Amino acid sequence: MENNELAWGKLLKYYRQKKKQKQDDVAFGICTSSYLSRIENGIVVAEHSMYKQLFENLGIDFNMLEQQLKSQTTFLEQLYEKLLSNTDFTADEIEQLTAMQNDEQPFEQQLMAKLVYARFLYSLKEDEQARTILNEIEPFVSWKKDRITQLFVAITAFGHLSFQEFEQLSIKEENNQLAQFLSNAHPFELANYHYHIAFANHRSYKLQKALEHIELAQQFFTHQYKPLFQLKLYSMKGVIFNDSHRYQEALKEFEAGLNLLANVHSIQTPMQWSSLHNNIAYCYECQENFTEASKHYETANNYDEDLHSAINWMRTCFAKKDFKQLDVLLKRYEEYQFTVPHHIYQRRLLEYAVENELTIRGLKLLEDEAFPHFSEQQYYSLILFYAPLWAQFYEQLHAYKQASHCFRQALFASEKIRQRMSS
């Protein structure tokens, strides 16, 4: 519900139409029917006592209705806060939330319940169903700083991330400045929204924009004890710094994350430890400190065996010429275990690179498989790693034309990375 008396005008209209009464009947003895029309349409705000009388003419106990709606709104807000804090719902809460979406509820109450339910569905990875609900709600959004608009903006942004529509969300915020609708919302909601926009900009390779939004998220996230969200802020800012080649600043953020994890038991999960050590490892890998990188990739994998960390560890072993460990990992993680295309291609490239039976045909087959995919997905750091390596292999076989082509791909990738850093 809106936090002002304009909502009561809408409720008057809702209950009057539901009871099939005319404006003249409801306004009788209180005000003119034209004045009631203006109240119902939000043109004027009446005295509180007048609302009470108008509802009484509808046979509704205003005080009881007011208390009931406040209670329901508080309940929905508590559920939404749970979603923002990654806290599970109870079975009873899910049942109540589902019931509040029926036609017996005032329309705005239904909208709010449906919005919270859509966000709940996103948390369950029921993305298509959540988006369907949001599409049904969109025509009723006022695009003012009311609660329905705020929830719609924030939940729609989360939905774009769920569908991996990073560029779309980034452009949407840049063009429409949707954060303005949340300016009077709770600071934690604003922090969440800016975190999501930072995430979208980072995945769209707009590093400066990503940094601006993560700093806004930090600005709004103050004096609140939500350690998991704080960890996300440290990690995201560290990743942005790392991709901007600001390595010492990145490590400072990651170290803050490690310190937080070490001291807050409630967020100490294998996934959190693994993710953070993987980020630290990649930061060292980017600095060509392959010994430290390998150590942290191993630590990440020990906490939570993850194929992303595994393939990164393999790549680092090759870079530091630790072929013994690479051979162990190749045997431990066979190709059929991988499902992500760039993981599969990297494993094939690395396995071929240590076979020592190089042929022009073999090199070309793998190049034609992997490099176009890296380029299409904008994995320019992978091109920078593998293209010069393949060029060296071609040179060993005196295939200088193919070697030159690989070097050109590396040069192109290097220029793309430079453009990202200056964007």
Side-chain angles (χ1 to χ4, degrees):
M1 291 294 296
E2 295 174 47
N3 191 25
N4 58 60
E5 291 191 320
L6 287 174
W8 294 118
K10 295 178 182 179
L11 275 175
L12 272 169
K13 186 174 184 178
Y14 168 79
Y15 282 112
R16 180 180 62 77
Q17 291 177 340
K18 185 178 180 181
K19 290 174 175 287
K20 299 181 180 178
Q21 292 197 27
K22 296 180 180 179
Q23 288 180 333
D24 288 339
D25 297 328
V26 177
F28 183 76
I30 304 171
C31 63
T32 65
S33 58
S34 62
Y35 191 73
L36 174 57
S37 177
R38 294 170 71 193
I39 292 173
E40 289 182 345
N41 291 300
I43 298 172
V44 297
V45 176
E47 294 291 330
H48 194 269
S49 59
M50 182 175 287
Y51 287 111
K52 185 175 181 179
Q53 293 176 65
L54 289 167
F55 275 104
E56 285 176 353
N57 273 7
L58 282 168
I60 296 171
D61 186 319
F62 179 71
N63 291 332
M64 186 178 295
L65 176 65
E66 187 175 30
Q67 188 58 44
Q68 177 189 351
L69 293 176
K70 282 183 178 178
S71 176
Q72 290 177 343
T73 301
T74 300
F75 171 71
L76 290 171
E77 291 289 1
Q78 288 171 345
L79 292 187
Y80 186 60
E81 201 280 335
K82 273 191 164 187
L83 288 165
L84 294 183
S85 301
N86 299 298
T87 304
D88 293 335
F89 287 0
T90 66
D92 183 58
E93 287 171 337
I94 297 170
E95 185 178 345
Q96 288 186 62
L97 176 59
T98 303
M100 289 178 68
Q101 299 173 59
N102 64 54
D103 292 337
E104 294 302 311
Q105 296 292 330
F107 187 61
E108 286 210 359
Q109 206 79 350
Q110 290 179 49
L111 289 181
M112 186 173 180
K114 286 179 178 179
L115 283 164
V116 174
Y117 188 65
R119 178 61 177 79
F120 171 63
L121 289 173
Y122 276 129
S123 73
L124 300 179
K125 308 300 181 187
E126 299 287 345
D127 297 345
E128 292 292 347
Q129 189 180 348
R131 174 157 285 182
T132 297
I133 293 172
L134 292 174
N135 288 339
E136 291 171 354
I137 291 172
E138 187 168 11
F140 303 103
V141 177
S142 69
W143 298 108
K144 298 177 182 177
K145 293 182 182 180
D146 57 72
R147 194 62 180 135
I148 299 301
T149 302
Q150 290 171 350
L151 290 171
F152 183 82
V153 167
I155 294 168
T156 301
F158 187 85
H160 284 307
L161 297 185
S162 296
F163 281 95
Q164 299 190 356
E165 296 167 345
F166 308 118
E167 182 73 17
Q168 184 176 338
L169 178 55
S170 170
I171 293 171
K172 192 174 181 180
E173 173 57 31
E174 186 173 0
N175 291 345
N176 301 308
Q177 301 294 304
L178 297 178
Q180 64 178 307
F181 294 110
L182 292 161
S183 61
N184 60 336
H186 190 281
F188 182 50
E189 291 183 40
L190 259 174
N192 258 279
Y193 182 75
H194 282 292
Y195 171 83
H196 293 150
I197 302 302
F199 192 98
N201 275 289
H202 174 257
R203 292 297 294 270
S204 301
Y205 309 109
K206 301 170 185 175
L207 300 181
Q208 187 54 45
K209 279 287 181 185
L211 184 58
E212 289 172 12
H213 282 284
I214 206 65
E215 288 177 342
L216 282 169
Q218 289 179 314
Q219 176 185 320
F220 289 113
F221 184 69
T222 54
H223 308 296
Q224 298 171 72
Y225 183 72
K226 294 186 181 292
L228 183 58
F229 187 72
Q230 180 63 73
L231 181 61
K232 289 165 68 176
L233 292 177
Y234 285 140
S235 296
M236 176 56 68
K237 194 170 186 180
V239 167
I240 294 167
F241 277 143
N242 187 68
D243 287 348
S244 303
H245 294 191
R246 295 164 65 173
Y247 301 123
Q248 295 311 306
E249 291 166 283
L251 286 172
K252 185 177 178 181
E253 297 295 324
F254 295 143
E255 285 164 7
L258 284 176
N259 185 56
L260 180 65
L261 262 178
N263 288 284
V264 182
H265 180 74
S266 63
I267 61 173
Q268 290 175 358
T269 65
M271 184 186 72
Q272 298 299 344
W273 284 111
S274 177
S275 176
L276 196 48
H277 277 286
N278 185 73
N279 287 337
I280 294 169
Y282 185 63
C283 185
Y284 281 119
E285 183 186 352
C286 290
Q287 299 174 74
E288 299 187 355
N289 185 340
F290 300 119
T291 299
E292 283 297 309
S294 187
K295 182 176 74 175
H296 282 282
Y297 280 136
E298 182 176 7
T299 302
N301 215 46
N302 287 340
Y303 270 113
D304 186 22
E305 194 168 38
D306 177 77
L307 294 176
H308 184 65
S309 293
I311 202 69
N312 290 343
W313 188 8
M314 290 182 194
R315 186 179 61 244
T316 305
C317 286
F318 183 88
K320 68 179 290 201
K321 296 181 172 53
D322 187 353
F323 301 122
K324 182 178 179 180
Q325 180 62 55
L326 177 56
D327 184 60
V328 170
L329 293 174
L330 287 168
K331 289 175 180 175
R332 179 176 169 186
Y333 299 105
E334 297 184 38
E335 184 176 316
Y336 75 87
Q337 296 174 255
F338 294 88
T339 57
V340 178
H342 80 83
H343 292 168
I344 296 170
Y345 291 137
Q346 286 194 76
R347 192 195 177 286
R348 288 177 186 173
L349 292 166
L350 290 167
E351 186 175 44
Y352 188 82
V354 294
E355 281 182 348
N356 296 318
E357 295 180 5
L358 304 177
T359 66
I360 295 174
R361 183 175 181 276
L363 290 169
K364 192 73 169 65
L365 282 173
L366 283 173
E367 177 193 341
D368 290 344
E369 270 189 343
F371 291 8
H373 177 76
F374 294 160
S375 182
E376 180 185 339
Q377 297 300 315
Q378 301 184 46
Y379 297 141
Y380 298 124
S381 61
L382 296 183
I383 295 176
L384 272 181
F385 183 88
Y386 291 104
L389 176 63
W390 245 236
Q392 292 173 28
F393 289 157
Y394 278 128
E395 286 182 332
Q396 291 174 27
L397 300 173
H398 308 292
Y400 299 113
K401 183 178 180 180
Q402 288 87 343
S404 178
H405 177 66
C406 286
F407 281 129
R408 284 198 299 272
Q409 290 185 74
L411 183 63
F412 175 80
S414 178
E415 178 59 21
K416 284 293 184 180
I417 290 174
R418 188 197 65 77
Q419 290 173 7
R420 285 180 185 175
M421 291 174 60
S422 62
S423 66

